[in-house]
Amino acid sequence: MAQTTKTKYQEKFRLKKGDEVVILTGKSKGGVGKIDRVDFKKNAVFVAGQNIFKKHSRPGADGTEGGIIDKAMPVHISNVALVDPKSKKRTGIAYQGQKSEKVRVAKASKTVLS
């Protein structure tokens, strides 16, 4: 899906889809998972298996069943932190130039991130 409008913080997003993160606040505090989706309009991320809420749905006219479903809710980008691949603790992200291209690096262990 093409991103047409840029938000105020979109260029400052250092986390990407597939990164392993830890949730810092809220009901799922301390939970670890991979980022499924990034929502630039809400400055939020969806973390796999974390921040799950119950949603009550009514039966639809097209034959869909009603009931209680589990729904993943977004977590604000400021409430998650990257997990260091080596030490499995939270860390920051830095950028380093290597051979005419910038790469993301975990600050704690200086590991290059994909």
Side-chain angles (χ1 to χ4, degrees), residues 20 82-89 91 106 109 111-113:
E20 191 172 3
L82 182 76
V83 174
D84 188 20
K86 284 189 178 177
S87 67
K88 300 296 182 195
K89 294 182 180 178
T91 183
S109 65
T111 306
V112 175
L113 304 169

Side-chain angles (χ1 to χ4, degrees), residues 21-38:
V21 293
V22 61
I23 298 178
L24 303 177
T25 60
K27 183 183 92 167
S28 299
K29 180 178 180 178
V32 178
K34 290 193 181 282
I35 295 179
D36 282 340
R37 193 174 73 175
V38 179

Side-chain angles (χ1 to χ4, degrees), residues 13-21 35 38 95 104 114:
F13 273 33
R14 295 187 168 155
L15 297 173
K16 296 183 178 184
K17 180 178 175 180
D19 285 347
E20 191 172 3
V21 293
I35 295 179
V38 179
Y95 288 94
R104 294 185 312 146
S114 58

